[in-house]
Amino acid sequence: TFQIQLDQAFTISALTVDGVPAGWVRVVGPVIDVTLPRAYAMDEQFALRVDYSGTPPTGNGFGSITFTTQNGQPLVHTLSEPYFANTWWPVKEDNNDKATASMAFTVPGPLVVASNGLLQGVDSLPGGKLKYRWRTNYQTAPYLFSFSTTNYNQFGDIYVHSGGSMPLQFFIYPANDTSGNRTAWLRTKDMLAAFASRFGPYPFISEKYGIYQFSFGGGMEHQTMTGQGTFSESVTAHELGHQWWGDMITCATWSDIWLNEGFASYCEALWFEASGRNLNPVTPGFTALRTAMLARRPSSTDGTVYFFRTEPTPGDVVAQSNDVNRMFSSNFSYRKAGWVLHMLRWVVGDQAFFDILAAYRQTYQYRTAATADFQAVCEAVSGRDLDWFFNQWVFNPGAPLYSYGWRNVSAGGRNYVELYLNQTQNAAWPTFDMPLDVGTTAGTGNASRTVRNNARTQHLLWEVPGAISSLTLDPNNWVLTASNTSPAYGKTAATFVEGPPKIVDVQPAPGSSSAASVVRVTFHRPVNSSAGQYTLTRSGSPVAFTHAYNAGAQRADLTLTPPIMPGTYVLTVGAGVTGQTGGLALDGEAANPVSPSSLPTGDGVPGGSATFRFTIPSCSAADLATEGGGLLSGPDGFVTGVDFDVFIQAFFSETRDPFGTLLADLTDAVGTGSPDGLLTGSDFDRFIVQFFTGCP
């Protein structure tokens, strides 16, 4: 069998397959099962013809077919989205089954017909009728086929592109045919160039782009021929953007409608970014983009961008109507979805974002795509796992609300800013994980820093040149919040709340090699510190020390018990270190135990020990092992045969210490004494020289 849809308002007088009458049965509502005369192989073609008559039903969706008038003249037009093409023609109503088409429309002589593709001809028929023949050779989703007829005036232009030129065709009511309205629609030519520079060539470059006026208040992106009931610049940009995102690549299911409408909504902002036309004076660039996005904030964020849809029963008009209303929610499928793309651009960066759009086009052009397909492209291009981003912004409701406070901190002779962040949105909504831009002002000028906020309550600390006088969270409004109130937009200044202590300095510095008798750990504020909260090992063995806390310096001093042996030391500061005010546990996570850039420590929440590694150098590069020890026993201040045996074993077995360093890597290829991560003859030569030189 083969399934088609045709509204039950129509009477089918004949149905044939390859010219032979075929059996058919109406299953439910518009759904018809056609019995094919035989089995057909994959890619084998057959011709299905349906002869039908009747009066098309009206009032479905946004007006699947409308019979009305304009300025006293008859007007008939279609708008089939999402699944009402069957109200005027027999169709396989499946976005994943696109088709080319030849279409013919017979109308009374004074009327003009606008439709998809290129006009093939106009035939004069008896009775003063005209037959308009249109043809599109581009794959088109069923809901994107259309026609409109009335006594249109026509005007046009030529869009010149790198491969040639393309006609622009406009069909306008005579009563609205003014120079201002013509200028508004002719701006399409500049929009085509702006979008082509960002998305690649206009997808239907071999045919045309056109706009026709119809009675629907907004616009509808019929492929190559948009219907608009307005001359709004935003609507014109929106519908043109759809030609890439919605027409060339169509949502695979109606649950993925945000891939159509969110993209087109963001195209409005991208046009204003390119032209600056929504500002006075004209200011293209980021300022225009930001202004456009702020004007497109949803009034509510409590729904999901992804439409978790329950398929309505065919013929159930009430359920279908409710379905359509939520499917095309201005807040969720348009505005919030547009913000998802804006925030994705912020997360991955401009270059990666537009590379993502290019790869998305290349992979799915003239086909359909689902949300999972788009996410996979984003991850492949950016090289990042973006589950966290899509889960919170696409598949979950809500948006964050931020409360924040800050203070200047001085510790260890350096200046820091501590930021207290609290997400106060609905407890049923996710804790949002987002990079946030932080703008600060100081006597030295303005500065900006990006921090990662991924907890309901978080304390973040970073070094600054000097004390700051002001701090602003997300000053450029990259992140959508659950508040529409200007100017804060969901970012409320609050009293600073005390957080957990962090480590701001360690001496010897992580990753360094220097002689030392005292290990010093400096905190950003006063702490409760005792010897039991610290461990120090050398080549895996415990090292004895005495502990003293210097309250004035907010520093713990660990004095090593002589003799101080050379080797690799690992310092661990436990979460049992607590703040003297509030008693919160140390925020101690250090991303890299051998990098000073891991300071200050922490992920912004209490709890978490810190680990650092440094080296107290030996008397010789050949001092690799302890007498009586072996591999990884560490230096002992003497060069003996044990060191020779250990080097030979480590060289040929490529032995690494617990931190991944090659034990026998003593120099680079030119013998400077700097390890290079490779074992070569240079390492062997350096060991021999150092071995026979010995220790002083």
Coordinates of all heavy atoms in Angstrom, one line a residue, residues 621-676:
A621 N 72.3 15.7 37.7 CA 71.2 15.1 36.9 C 71.3 13.6 36.9 O 70.3 12.9 36.6 CB 71.3 15.6 35.5
A622 N 72.5 13.0 37.2 CA 72.7 11.6 37.3 C 72.2 11.0 38.6 O 72.2 9.7 38.7 CB 74.1 11.2 37.0
D623 N 71.8 11.8 39.6 CA 71.4 11.3 40.9 C 69.9 10.9 40.7 O 69.0 11.8 40.9 CB 71.6 12.4 41.9 CG 71.1 11.9 43.3 OD1 70.9 10.7 43.5 OD2 71.0 12.7 44.2
L624 N 69.6 9.7 40.4 CA 68.2 9.3 40.1 C 67.6 8.4 41.2 O 66.4 8.3 41.2 CB 68.2 8.5 38.8 CG 68.6 9.2 37.5 CD1 68.6 8.3 36.3 CD2 67.8 10.5 37.3
A625 N 68.4 7.7 42.0 CA 67.9 6.7 42.9 C 68.6 6.8 44.2 O 69.7 7.2 44.4 CB 68.1 5.3 42.3
T626 N 67.9 6.2 45.2 CA 68.4 6.1 46.6 C 69.2 4.8 46.7 O 68.8 3.8 46.2 CB 67.2 6.1 47.6 OG1 66.5 7.3 47.4 CG2 67.8 6.0 49.0
E627 N 70.4 4.9 47.4 CA 71.2 3.8 47.6 C 70.4 2.7 48.3 O 69.7 2.9 49.3 CB 72.4 4.1 48.5 CG 73.4 3.0 48.7 CD 74.2 2.8 47.4 OE1 74.3 3.8 46.5 OE2 74.8 1.7 47.2
G628 N 70.4 1.5 47.7 CA 69.6 0.4 48.3 C 68.2 0.4 47.7 O 67.4 -0.5 48.0
G629 N 67.8 1.5 47.0 CA 66.5 1.6 46.4 C 66.4 1.0 45.0 O 67.1 0.0 44.6
G630 N 65.7 1.7 44.1 CA 65.6 1.2 42.7 C 64.8 2.2 41.9 O 64.8 3.4 42.3
L631 N 64.1 1.8 40.9 CA 63.3 2.7 40.1 C 62.3 3.4 41.0 O 61.7 2.9 41.8 CB 62.5 1.9 39.0 CG 63.3 1.4 37.8 CD1 62.4 0.5 37.0 CD2 63.7 2.6 36.9
L632 N 62.2 4.7 40.7 CA 61.3 5.6 41.4 C 61.5 5.8 42.9 O 60.7 6.4 43.6 CB 59.8 5.1 41.2 CG 59.4 4.9 39.7 CD1 57.9 4.4 39.7 CD2 59.5 6.1 38.9
S633 N 62.7 5.4 43.4 CA 63.1 5.6 44.8 C 63.5 7.0 45.0 O 63.5 7.5 46.2 CB 64.2 4.6 45.2 OG 65.4 4.9 44.5
G634 N 63.9 7.8 44.0 CA 64.2 9.2 44.1 C 65.7 9.4 44.5 O 66.4 8.5 45.0
P635 N 66.2 10.6 44.3 CA 67.7 10.9 44.5 C 68.0 10.9 46.0 O 67.1 11.1 46.8 CB 67.9 12.3 43.9 CG 66.5 12.9 43.9 CD 65.5 11.7 43.7
D636 N 69.3 10.7 46.3 CA 69.7 10.7 47.7 C 70.9 11.6 48.0 O 71.5 11.6 49.0 CB 70.0 9.3 48.2 CG 71.1 8.7 47.3 OD1 71.7 9.3 46.4 OD2 71.4 7.5 47.6
G637 N 71.3 12.4 46.9 CA 72.5 13.3 47.1 C 73.8 12.7 46.8 O 74.8 13.3 46.9
F638 N 73.8 11.4 46.3 CA 75.0 10.7 45.9 C 74.8 10.1 44.5 O 73.7 9.7 44.1 CB 75.3 9.6 46.9 CG 75.5 10.1 48.3 CD1 74.4 10.1 49.2 CD2 76.7 10.7 48.7 CE1 74.6 10.6 50.5 CE2 76.8 11.2 50.0 CZ 75.8 11.1 50.9
V639 N 75.9 10.0 43.8 CA 75.9 9.4 42.5 C 76.7 8.1 42.6 O 77.9 8.1 42.9 CB 76.5 10.2 41.4 CG1 76.6 9.5 40.0 CG2 75.7 11.5 41.2
T640 N 76.0 6.9 42.4 CA 76.7 5.6 42.6 C 76.2 4.7 41.5 O 75.5 5.1 40.6 CB 76.2 5.0 44.0 OG1 74.8 4.7 43.9 CG2 76.5 6.0 45.1
G641 N 76.7 3.5 41.6 CA 76.3 2.5 40.6 C 74.8 2.2 40.5 O 74.3 1.8 39.5
V642 N 74.2 2.4 41.7 CA 72.7 2.3 41.7 C 72.0 3.2 40.7 O 71.1 2.9 39.9 CB 72.1 2.5 43.1 CG1 70.6 2.5 43.1 CG2 72.6 1.4 44.0
D643 N 72.5 4.5 40.7 CA 72.0 5.4 39.7 C 72.2 5.0 38.3 O 71.4 5.2 37.4 CB 72.6 6.8 39.9 CG 72.4 7.3 41.3 OD1 71.2 7.6 41.6 OD2 73.3 7.4 42.1
F644 N 73.4 4.4 38.0 CA 73.7 3.9 36.6 C 72.8 2.8 36.2 O 72.2 2.8 35.1 CB 75.2 3.4 36.6 CG 75.7 3.1 35.2 CD1 76.4 4.1 34.5 CD2 75.4 1.9 34.6 CE1 76.8 3.9 33.2 CE2 75.8 1.7 33.3 CZ 76.5 2.6 32.6
D645 N 72.6 1.8 37.2 CA 71.7 0.7 36.9 C 70.2 1.2 36.6 O 69.5 0.8 35.7 CB 71.7 -0.3 38.0 CG 73.0 -1.0 38.2 OD1 73.8 -1.0 37.2 OD2 73.3 -1.5 39.2
V646 N 69.8 2.2 37.5 CA 68.4 2.7 37.3 C 68.3 3.5 36.0 O 67.3 3.3 35.3 CB 68.1 3.6 38.5 CG1 66.9 4.5 38.2 CG2 67.8 2.8 39.7
F647 N 69.3 4.2 35.6 CA 69.2 5.0 34.3 C 69.1 4.0 33.2 O 68.2 4.2 32.3 CB 70.4 5.9 34.1 CG 70.4 6.6 32.8 CD1 69.6 7.7 32.6 CD2 71.1 6.1 31.7 CE1 69.5 8.3 31.3 CE2 71.0 6.7 30.4 CZ 70.2 7.8 30.3
I648 N 69.9 3.0 33.1 CA 69.9 2.0 32.0 C 68.5 1.3 31.9 O 67.9 1.2 30.9 CB 71.0 0.9 32.2 CG1 72.4 1.6 32.1 CG2 70.8 -0.2 31.1 CD1 72.6 2.3 30.7
Q649 N 68.0 0.9 33.1 CA 66.7 0.3 33.1 C 65.6 1.3 32.7 O 64.7 0.9 31.9 CB 66.4 -0.2 34.5 CG 65.1 -1.0 34.6 CD 64.8 -1.5 36.0 OE1 65.7 -1.4 36.9 NE2 63.7 -2.1 36.2
A650 N 65.6 2.5 33.2 CA 64.6 3.5 32.9 C 64.7 3.9 31.4 O 63.7 4.2 30.8 CB 64.8 4.7 33.8
F651 N 65.9 4.0 30.8 CA 66.1 4.4 29.4 C 65.5 3.4 28.5 O 64.7 3.7 27.6 CB 67.6 4.6 29.1 CG 67.8 5.2 27.8 CD1 67.8 6.5 27.6 CD2 68.1 4.3 26.7 CE1 68.1 7.0 26.3 CE2 68.3 4.8 25.4 CZ 68.3 6.2 25.2
F652 N 65.8 2.1 28.7 CA 65.3 1.1 27.7 C 63.9 0.6 28.0 O 63.2 0.1 27.0 CB 66.3 -0.1 27.7 CG 67.6 0.2 27.1 CD1 68.7 0.5 27.8 CD2 67.7 0.4 25.7 CE1 70.0 0.8 27.2 CE2 68.9 0.7 25.1 CZ 70.0 0.9 25.9
S653 N 63.4 0.8 29.2 CA 62.0 0.5 29.4 C 61.1 1.7 29.4 O 59.8 1.5 29.5 CB 61.9 -0.2 30.8 OG 62.2 0.8 31.8
E654 N 61.6 2.9 29.1 CA 60.8 4.1 29.0 C 60.0 4.3 30.3 O 58.8 4.6 30.2 CB 60.0 4.1 27.8 CG 60.8 4.1 26.5 CD 60.0 4.2 25.2 OE1 58.8 4.4 25.3 OE2 60.6 4.2 24.1
T655 N 60.6 4.1 31.4 CA 59.8 4.2 32.7 C 59.4 5.6 33.0 O 60.2 6.6 32.7 CB 60.7 3.7 33.9 OG1 61.1 2.4 33.6 CG2 60.0 3.8 35.2
R656 N 58.2 5.8 33.4 CA 57.7 7.1 33.8 C 57.4 7.1 35.3 O 57.0 6.1 35.9 CB 56.4 7.4 33.0 CG 56.6 7.5 31.5 CD 55.3 7.8 30.8 NE 55.5 7.9 29.3 CZ 55.8 9.0 28.6 NH1 55.9 10.1 29.3 NH2 56.0 8.9 27.3
D657 N 57.5 8.3 35.9 CA 57.1 8.5 37.3 C 55.6 8.6 37.4 O 54.9 8.6 36.4 CB 57.8 9.7 37.9 CG 57.3 11.0 37.3 OD1 56.3 11.1 36.7 OD2 58.0 12.1 37.5
P658 N 55.1 8.7 38.6 CA 53.6 8.7 38.7 C 52.9 9.8 38.1 O 51.7 9.8 37.9 CB 53.4 8.7 40.3 CG 54.7 8.1 40.8 CD 55.7 8.5 39.9
F659 N 53.7 10.9 37.7 CA 53.1 12.0 37.0 C 53.2 12.0 35.5 O 52.9 12.9 34.8 CB 53.7 13.3 37.6 CG 53.5 13.4 39.1 CD1 54.5 13.1 39.9 CD2 52.3 13.8 39.6 CE1 54.3 13.1 41.3 CE2 52.1 13.9 41.0 CZ 53.1 13.6 41.8
G660 N 53.8 10.8 35.0 CA 53.9 10.7 33.6 C 55.2 11.1 32.9 O 55.3 11.1 31.7
T661 N 56.2 11.6 33.8 CA 57.4 12.1 33.2 C 58.4 10.9 33.0 O 58.5 10.1 33.9 CB 58.0 13.1 34.2 OG1 57.1 14.2 34.4 CG2 59.3 13.7 33.6
L662 N 59.1 11.0 31.8 CA 60.1 9.9 31.6 C 61.3 10.1 32.5 O 61.9 11.2 32.5 CB 60.5 10.0 30.1 CG 59.5 9.6 29.0 CD1 60.0 10.1 27.7 CD2 59.4 8.0 29.0
L663 N 61.6 9.1 33.3 CA 62.6 9.2 34.3 C 64.0 9.4 33.7 O 64.8 10.1 34.3 CB 62.6 7.9 35.1 CG 63.4 7.9 36.4 CD1 62.8 8.9 37.4 CD2 63.5 6.5 37.0
A664 N 64.3 8.9 32.5 CA 65.6 9.0 31.9 C 65.6 10.2 30.9 O 66.6 10.3 30.2 CB 66.0 7.7 31.2
D665 N 64.6 11.1 30.9 CA 64.6 12.2 30.0 C 65.4 13.4 30.7 O 64.8 14.1 31.5 CB 63.2 12.6 29.7 CG 63.1 13.8 28.7 OD1 64.1 14.1 28.1 OD2 62.0 14.4 28.7
L666 N 66.7 13.5 30.3 CA 67.5 14.5 31.0 C 67.8 15.7 30.2 O 68.3 16.7 30.8 CB 68.9 13.8 31.4 CG 68.8 12.5 32.2 CD1 70.2 12.1 32.6 CD2 68.0 12.8 33.5
T667 N 67.5 15.7 28.9 CA 67.9 16.9 28.1 C 67.1 16.8 26.8 O 66.4 15.8 26.5 CB 69.4 17.0 27.8 OG1 69.7 18.2 27.2 CG2 69.9 15.8 27.0
D668 N 67.3 17.9 26.0 CA 66.7 17.8 24.6 C 67.7 17.4 23.6 O 68.8 17.0 24.0 CB 66.1 19.2 24.3 CG 67.1 20.3 24.4 OD1 68.4 20.0 24.4 OD2 66.7 21.5 24.6
A669 N 67.4 17.5 22.3 CA 68.2 16.9 21.3 C 69.5 17.7 21.2 O 70.5 17.1 20.7 CB 67.5 16.9 19.9
V670 N 69.6 18.9 21.6 CA 70.8 19.7 21.5 C 71.6 19.8 22.8 O 72.5 20.6 22.9 CB 70.5 21.1 20.9 CG1 70.0 21.0 19.4 CG2 69.5 21.9 21.7
G671 N 71.1 19.1 23.8 CA 71.8 19.0 25.0 C 71.8 20.2 25.9 O 72.8 20.5 26.7
T672 N 70.7 21.0 25.9 CA 70.6 22.2 26.8 C 70.3 21.8 28.3 O 70.4 22.7 29.1 CB 69.5 23.1 26.3 OG1 68.2 22.5 26.4 CG2 69.7 23.5 24.9
G673 N 70.0 20.6 28.5 CA 69.6 20.2 29.9 C 68.1 20.3 30.2 O 67.7 20.0 31.3
S674 N 67.3 20.7 29.2 CA 65.9 20.8 29.4 C 65.2 19.5 28.8 O 65.3 19.3 27.6 CB 65.3 22.0 28.7 OG 65.9 23.2 29.2
P675 N 64.5 18.8 29.6 CA 63.8 17.6 29.1 C 62.8 18.0 28.0 O 62.2 19.0 28.0 CB 63.1 17.1 30.3 CG 63.8 17.6 31.5 CD 64.3 18.9 31.1
D676 N 62.7 17.1 27.0 CA 61.8 17.3 25.8 C 60.8 16.3 25.6 O 60.1 16.3 24.6 CB 62.7 17.5 24.6 CG 63.5 16.2 24.2 OD1 63.4 15.3 25.0 OD2 64.2 16.3 23.2

